[in-house]
Short mmCIF file of all heavy atoms in Angstrom, two decimals:
data_model
loop_
_atom_site.label_atom_id
_atom_site.label_comp_id
_atom_site.label_asym_id
_atom_site.label_seq_id
_atom_site.Cartn_x
_atom_site.Cartn_y
_atom_site.Cartn_z
N ASN A 41 -4.89 -12.97 9.87
CA ASN A 41 -4.29 -11.99 9.06
C ASN A 41 -4.40 -10.59 9.72
O ASN A 41 -5.21 -9.72 9.48
CB ASN A 41 -4.83 -11.80 7.68
CG ASN A 41 -4.02 -10.93 6.76
OD1 ASN A 41 -3.21 -10.15 7.14
ND2 ASN A 41 -4.23 -11.08 5.46
N LEU A 42 -3.42 -10.35 10.74
CA LEU A 42 -3.57 -9.16 11.60
C LEU A 42 -3.23 -7.90 10.87
O LEU A 42 -3.55 -6.80 11.23
CB LEU A 42 -2.60 -9.26 12.89
CG LEU A 42 -3.08 -10.27 13.83
CD1 LEU A 42 -1.98 -10.45 14.89
CD2 LEU A 42 -4.34 -9.98 14.47
N SER A 43 -2.55 -8.04 9.58
CA SER A 43 -2.21 -6.78 8.94
C SER A 43 -3.52 -6.11 8.44
O SER A 43 -3.43 -4.99 8.00
CB SER A 43 -1.36 -7.04 7.77
OG SER A 43 -1.99 -7.84 6.72
N ARG A 44 -4.62 -6.89 8.35
CA ARG A 44 -5.81 -6.24 7.86
C ARG A 44 -6.24 -5.08 8.75
O ARG A 44 -6.87 -4.13 8.29
CB ARG A 44 -7.03 -7.31 7.79
CG ARG A 44 -6.77 -8.22 6.56
CD ARG A 44 -7.90 -9.33 6.64
NE ARG A 44 -7.81 -10.14 5.43
CZ ARG A 44 -8.52 -11.21 5.19
NH1 ARG A 44 -9.36 -11.62 6.05
NH2 ARG A 44 -8.37 -11.93 3.97
N LEU A 45 -5.89 -5.17 10.09
CA LEU A 45 -6.38 -4.00 10.93
C LEU A 45 -5.62 -2.67 10.50
O LEU A 45 -6.15 -1.68 10.33
CB LEU A 45 -5.95 -4.29 12.36
CG LEU A 45 -6.83 -5.37 13.00
CD1 LEU A 45 -6.24 -5.77 14.35
CD2 LEU A 45 -8.29 -4.72 13.30
N LEU A 46 -4.31 -2.82 10.21
CA LEU A 46 -3.55 -1.74 9.72
C LEU A 46 -3.99 -1.25 8.30
O LEU A 46 -4.12 -0.01 8.02
CB LEU A 46 -2.07 -1.98 9.64
CG LEU A 46 -1.29 -1.81 11.00
CD1 LEU A 46 0.24 -2.35 10.71
CD2 LEU A 46 -1.21 -0.50 11.39
N GLN A 47 -4.26 -2.24 7.39
CA GLN A 47 -4.71 -1.90 6.05
C GLN A 47 -6.05 -1.08 6.22
O GLN A 47 -6.18 -0.01 5.40
CB GLN A 47 -4.95 -3.01 5.23
CG GLN A 47 -3.59 -3.70 4.92
CD GLN A 47 -3.81 -5.04 4.05
OE1 GLN A 47 -4.19 -4.89 2.95
NE2 GLN A 47 -3.41 -6.19 4.62
N CYS A 48 -6.99 -1.45 7.03
CA CYS A 48 -8.19 -0.78 7.02
C CYS A 48 -8.09 0.57 7.81
O CYS A 48 -8.98 1.41 7.56
CB CYS A 48 -9.24 -1.70 7.87
SG CYS A 48 -9.82 -3.04 6.78
N GLN A 49 -7.11 0.69 8.68
CA GLN A 49 -6.97 2.04 9.23
C GLN A 49 -6.62 3.01 8.21
O GLN A 49 -6.63 4.29 8.40
CB GLN A 49 -6.05 2.02 10.42
CG GLN A 49 -6.00 3.15 11.30
CD GLN A 49 -4.92 3.10 12.24
OE1 GLN A 49 -4.12 2.18 12.48
NE2 GLN A 49 -4.71 4.22 13.06
N VAL A 50 -5.91 2.64 7.15
CA VAL A 50 -5.46 3.63 6.18
C VAL A 50 -6.63 4.30 5.62
O VAL A 50 -6.40 5.53 5.16
CB VAL A 50 -4.75 2.83 4.93
CG1 VAL A 50 -4.44 3.65 3.85
CG2 VAL A 50 -3.40 2.17 5.54
N GLU A 51 -7.76 3.73 5.70
CA GLU A 51 -9.02 4.58 5.21
C GLU A 51 -9.13 5.87 5.96
O GLU A 51 -9.72 6.90 5.46
CB GLU A 51 -10.27 3.77 5.37
CG GLU A 51 -11.55 4.38 5.05
CD GLU A 51 -11.71 4.54 3.59
OE1 GLU A 51 -11.07 3.83 2.75
OE2 GLU A 51 -12.59 5.37 3.16
N ASP A 52 -8.62 5.92 7.17
CA ASP A 52 -8.87 7.03 7.99
C ASP A 52 -7.53 8.02 8.12
O ASP A 52 -7.40 8.91 8.75
CB ASP A 52 -9.13 6.75 9.50
CG ASP A 52 -10.52 6.03 9.62
OD1 ASP A 52 -11.34 6.22 8.86
OD2 ASP A 52 -10.58 5.19 10.48
N VAL A 53 -6.62 7.61 7.11
CA VAL A 53 -5.33 8.40 7.17
C VAL A 53 -5.22 9.16 5.80
O VAL A 53 -5.52 8.63 4.77
CB VAL A 53 -4.09 7.34 7.31
CG1 VAL A 53 -2.82 8.05 7.18
CG2 VAL A 53 -4.21 6.60 8.60
N ARG A 54 -4.85 10.35 5.99
CA ARG A 54 -4.56 11.24 4.75
C ARG A 54 -3.19 11.08 4.31
O ARG A 54 -2.16 11.70 4.84
CB ARG A 54 -4.91 12.58 5.07
CG ARG A 54 -4.95 13.51 3.77
CD ARG A 54 -5.57 14.97 4.07
NE ARG A 54 -5.66 15.75 2.84
CZ ARG A 54 -6.30 16.79 2.84
NH1 ARG A 54 -6.81 17.32 3.99
NH2 ARG A 54 -6.32 17.53 1.83
N LEU A 55 -2.96 10.28 3.23
CA LEU A 55 -1.60 10.08 2.76
C LEU A 55 -1.13 11.26 1.81
O LEU A 55 -1.91 11.70 1.20
CB LEU A 55 -1.52 8.86 1.84
CG LEU A 55 -1.87 7.59 2.68
CD1 LEU A 55 -1.96 6.28 1.70
CD2 LEU A 55 -0.83 7.22 3.82
N PRO A 56 0.08 11.70 1.95
CA PRO A 56 0.58 12.75 1.04
C PRO A 56 0.76 12.23 -0.29
O PRO A 56 0.85 11.02 -0.53
CB PRO A 56 2.00 13.03 1.76
CG PRO A 56 2.42 11.76 2.38
CD PRO A 56 1.15 11.11 2.86
N GLN A 57 0.51 13.15 -1.29
CA GLN A 57 0.58 12.85 -2.71
C GLN A 57 2.09 12.90 -3.09
O GLN A 57 2.70 14.10 -3.08
CB GLN A 57 -0.16 13.74 -3.50
CG GLN A 57 -1.68 13.72 -3.20
CD GLN A 57 -2.27 12.24 -3.73
OE1 GLN A 57 -1.84 11.69 -4.78
NE2 GLN A 57 -3.02 11.65 -2.93
N LEU A 58 2.71 11.91 -3.33
CA LEU A 58 4.15 11.85 -3.68
C LEU A 58 4.37 11.30 -5.06
O LEU A 58 3.61 10.48 -5.64
CB LEU A 58 4.95 10.98 -2.79
CG LEU A 58 4.92 11.27 -1.33
CD1 LEU A 58 5.66 10.26 -0.44
CD2 LEU A 58 5.46 12.70 -1.02
N THR A 59 5.24 11.89 -5.80
CA THR A 59 5.73 11.39 -7.09
C THR A 59 6.89 10.40 -6.98
O THR A 59 7.79 10.55 -6.18
CB THR A 59 6.24 12.62 -8.03
OG1 THR A 59 5.26 13.50 -8.10
CG2 THR A 59 6.68 11.97 -9.35
N PRO A 60 6.80 9.34 -7.58
CA PRO A 60 7.79 8.13 -7.34
C PRO A 60 9.06 8.77 -7.82
O PRO A 60 9.27 9.58 -8.64
CB PRO A 60 7.30 6.96 -8.33
CG PRO A 60 5.79 7.22 -8.47
CD PRO A 60 5.70 8.67 -8.36
N PRO A 61 10.24 8.46 -6.97
CA PRO A 61 11.48 8.96 -7.32
C PRO A 61 11.87 8.59 -8.76
O PRO A 61 11.74 7.47 -9.24
CB PRO A 61 12.45 8.37 -6.34
CG PRO A 61 11.52 7.86 -5.17
CD PRO A 61 10.16 7.69 -5.76
N ARG A 62 12.46 9.52 -9.57
CA ARG A 62 12.77 9.34 -10.88
C ARG A 62 13.95 8.35 -10.96
O ARG A 62 14.00 7.67 -12.09
CB ARG A 62 13.14 10.57 -11.63
CG ARG A 62 14.27 11.41 -11.08
CD ARG A 62 14.58 12.68 -11.87
NE ARG A 62 15.64 13.39 -11.26
CZ ARG A 62 15.52 14.24 -10.24
NH1 ARG A 62 14.43 14.46 -9.63
NH2 ARG A 62 16.60 14.87 -9.69
N GLU A 63 14.74 8.10 -10.02
CA GLU A 63 15.94 7.23 -10.10
C GLU A 63 15.62 5.85 -9.55
O GLU A 63 16.51 4.94 -9.55
CB GLU A 63 17.08 7.81 -9.30
CG GLU A 63 16.93 8.02 -7.80
CD GLU A 63 16.37 9.35 -7.46
OE1 GLU A 63 15.48 9.86 -8.20
OE2 GLU A 63 16.62 9.84 -6.31
N LEU A 64 14.29 5.66 -9.20
CA LEU A 64 13.90 4.36 -8.63
C LEU A 64 13.91 3.21 -9.70
O LEU A 64 13.47 3.35 -10.69
CB LEU A 64 12.49 4.48 -8.18
CG LEU A 64 11.88 3.13 -7.32
CD1 LEU A 64 12.69 2.83 -6.10
CD2 LEU A 64 10.32 3.38 -7.17
N VAL A 65 14.51 2.09 -9.33
CA VAL A 65 14.72 0.96 -10.30
C VAL A 65 14.18 -0.33 -9.59
O VAL A 65 14.02 -1.35 -10.36
CB VAL A 65 16.18 0.73 -10.61
CG1 VAL A 65 16.62 1.90 -11.46
CG2 VAL A 65 17.13 0.47 -9.52
N GLY A 66 13.75 -0.43 -8.34
CA GLY A 66 13.43 -1.53 -7.68
C GLY A 66 12.86 -1.41 -6.29
O GLY A 66 13.10 -0.44 -5.72
N VAL A 67 11.99 -2.40 -5.96
CA VAL A 67 11.41 -2.34 -4.46
C VAL A 67 11.54 -3.75 -4.05
O VAL A 67 11.43 -4.65 -4.62
CB VAL A 67 9.94 -1.96 -4.59
CG1 VAL A 67 9.43 -2.08 -3.08
CG2 VAL A 67 9.73 -0.52 -5.03
N ILE A 68 11.99 -3.68 -2.63
CA ILE A 68 12.26 -4.98 -1.95
C ILE A 68 11.26 -4.96 -0.71
O ILE A 68 11.42 -3.93 0.13
CB ILE A 68 13.65 -5.28 -1.39
CG1 ILE A 68 14.58 -5.34 -2.68
CG2 ILE A 68 13.73 -6.57 -0.77
CD1 ILE A 68 16.01 -5.30 -2.24
N GLY A 69 10.36 -5.84 -0.52
CA GLY A 69 9.43 -5.86 0.69
C GLY A 69 9.55 -7.28 1.42
O GLY A 69 9.21 -8.15 0.83
N MET A 70 10.05 -7.19 2.62
CA MET A 70 10.09 -8.40 3.46
C MET A 70 8.80 -8.37 4.33
O MET A 70 8.38 -7.41 4.88
CB MET A 70 11.25 -8.32 4.47
CG MET A 70 12.51 -8.57 3.93
SD MET A 70 13.95 -8.64 5.19
CE MET A 70 15.34 -8.88 4.25
N ASN A 71 8.08 -9.61 4.18
CA ASN A 71 6.80 -9.70 4.96
C ASN A 71 5.80 -8.59 4.69
O ASN A 71 5.24 -7.90 5.57
CB ASN A 71 7.00 -9.90 6.48
CG ASN A 71 7.96 -10.95 6.69
OD1 ASN A 71 9.16 -10.85 6.90
ND2 ASN A 71 7.47 -12.26 6.76
N SER A 72 5.79 -8.16 3.37
CA SER A 72 4.90 -7.11 2.96
C SER A 72 3.49 -7.43 3.03
O SER A 72 3.05 -8.53 3.18
CB SER A 72 5.33 -6.61 1.52
OG SER A 72 5.31 -7.91 0.64
N PHE A 73 2.59 -6.41 2.99
CA PHE A 73 1.06 -6.52 2.94
C PHE A 73 0.48 -5.54 2.16
O PHE A 73 1.05 -4.51 1.90
CB PHE A 73 0.60 -6.70 4.34
CG PHE A 73 0.85 -5.51 5.23
CD1 PHE A 73 -0.02 -4.45 5.31
CD2 PHE A 73 2.09 -5.42 5.98
CE1 PHE A 73 0.08 -3.32 6.23
CE2 PHE A 73 2.25 -4.28 6.77
CZ PHE A 73 1.34 -3.32 6.81
N GLY A 74 -0.84 -5.80 1.75
CA GLY A 74 -1.63 -4.68 1.05
C GLY A 74 -2.71 -5.45 0.32
O GLY A 74 -3.12 -4.71 -0.73
N SER A 75 -3.18 -6.59 0.51
CA SER A 75 -4.22 -7.20 -0.28
C SER A 75 -5.49 -6.48 -0.29
O SER A 75 -6.22 -6.68 -1.19
CB SER A 75 -4.37 -8.69 0.26
OG SER A 75 -4.80 -8.73 1.56
N LEU A 76 -5.81 -5.75 0.75
CA LEU A 76 -7.06 -4.95 0.77
C LEU A 76 -6.77 -3.55 0.10
O LEU A 76 -7.84 -3.05 -0.45
CB LEU A 76 -7.49 -4.81 2.31
CG LEU A 76 -7.96 -5.98 3.05
CD1 LEU A 76 -8.34 -5.63 4.42
CD2 LEU A 76 -9.01 -6.69 2.27
N LEU A 77 -5.67 -3.12 0.17
CA LEU A 77 -5.36 -1.99 -0.56
C LEU A 77 -5.25 -1.99 -2.03
O LEU A 77 -5.73 -1.21 -2.82
CB LEU A 77 -3.90 -1.23 0.01
CG LEU A 77 -3.77 -1.03 1.53
CD1 LEU A 77 -2.41 -0.61 1.91
CD2 LEU A 77 -4.78 0.02 1.96
N TRP A 78 -4.78 -3.26 -2.39
CA TRP A 78 -4.54 -3.40 -3.86
C TRP A 78 -5.16 -4.82 -4.18
O TRP A 78 -4.28 -5.74 -4.27
CB TRP A 78 -3.09 -3.31 -4.27
CG TRP A 78 -2.52 -2.03 -3.98
CD1 TRP A 78 -2.77 -0.78 -4.49
CD2 TRP A 78 -1.48 -1.69 -2.95
NE1 TRP A 78 -2.04 0.25 -3.87
CE2 TRP A 78 -1.23 -0.40 -2.84
CE3 TRP A 78 -0.83 -2.56 -2.03
CZ2 TRP A 78 -0.35 0.26 -2.08
CZ3 TRP A 78 -0.04 -1.98 -1.12
CH2 TRP A 78 0.38 -0.61 -1.13
N PRO A 79 -6.36 -5.06 -4.32
CA PRO A 79 -6.92 -6.40 -4.57
C PRO A 79 -6.52 -6.91 -5.88
O PRO A 79 -6.19 -6.15 -6.78
CB PRO A 79 -8.49 -6.14 -4.53
CG PRO A 79 -8.59 -4.71 -4.72
CD PRO A 79 -7.49 -4.10 -4.13
N ARG A 80 -6.31 -8.23 -6.02
CA ARG A 80 -5.96 -8.92 -7.27
C ARG A 80 -6.72 -8.68 -8.38
O ARG A 80 -6.20 -8.50 -9.58
CB ARG A 80 -5.85 -10.37 -6.91
CG ARG A 80 -4.49 -10.91 -6.48
CD ARG A 80 -4.57 -12.43 -6.25
NE ARG A 80 -4.91 -12.71 -4.95
CZ ARG A 80 -5.46 -14.01 -4.51
NH1 ARG A 80 -5.65 -14.88 -5.40
NH2 ARG A 80 -5.69 -14.07 -3.25
N ASP A 81 -8.03 -8.41 -8.21
CA ASP A 81 -8.85 -8.20 -9.39
C ASP A 81 -8.92 -6.75 -9.88
O ASP A 81 -9.51 -6.40 -10.94
CB ASP A 81 -10.37 -8.62 -9.04
CG ASP A 81 -10.80 -7.81 -8.02
OD1 ASP A 81 -10.03 -7.07 -7.25
OD2 ASP A 81 -12.15 -7.95 -7.68
N ARG A 82 -8.17 -5.93 -9.27
CA ARG A 82 -7.93 -4.52 -9.64
C ARG A 82 -6.41 -4.12 -9.64
O ARG A 82 -6.12 -3.34 -8.75
CB ARG A 82 -8.78 -3.61 -8.86
CG ARG A 82 -10.39 -4.01 -8.88
CD ARG A 82 -11.11 -3.03 -8.07
NE ARG A 82 -10.93 -1.60 -8.67
CZ ARG A 82 -11.56 -0.53 -8.06
NH1 ARG A 82 -12.21 -0.62 -6.94
NH2 ARG A 82 -11.35 0.63 -8.61
N PRO A 83 -5.69 -4.72 -10.53
CA PRO A 83 -4.15 -4.46 -10.38
C PRO A 83 -3.86 -2.99 -10.75
O PRO A 83 -4.52 -2.27 -11.32
CB PRO A 83 -3.64 -5.38 -11.44
CG PRO A 83 -4.79 -5.65 -12.37
CD PRO A 83 -5.95 -5.52 -11.66
N ILE A 84 -2.70 -2.59 -10.08
CA ILE A 84 -2.28 -1.26 -10.31
C ILE A 84 -0.80 -1.41 -10.67
O ILE A 84 0.05 -2.25 -10.21
CB ILE A 84 -2.39 -0.42 -8.92
CG1 ILE A 84 -1.99 0.96 -9.13
CG2 ILE A 84 -1.75 -1.11 -7.69
CD1 ILE A 84 -2.15 1.91 -8.01
#
């Protein structure tokens, strides 16, 4: 699972604080990843 390298590097990245677009109605992710960012036992 090579995506884990990118996910763990996020710890060292300062992400901007963004408000979700008010007109947003859906998200499509091809070959998406994020299991370490959002573990199943702590849903968001």
Side-chain angles (χ1 to χ4, degrees):
N41 186 343
L42 291 176
S43 76
R44 287 178 174 174
L45 287 169
L46 274 175
Q47 294 183 61
C48 289
Q49 192 187 356
V50 171
E51 178 71 19
D52 299 332
V53 176
R54 188 169 184 174
L55 298 173
Q57 295 295 319
L58 300 178
T59 301
R62 59 182 180 273
E63 65 270 36
L64 183 67
V65 296
V67 173
I68 301 170
M70 289 183 180
N71 304 94
S72 52
F73 60 92
S75 60
L76 294 176
L77 302 174
W78 306 290
R80 268 178 265 163
D81 59 348
R82 300 183 63 186
I84 181 171

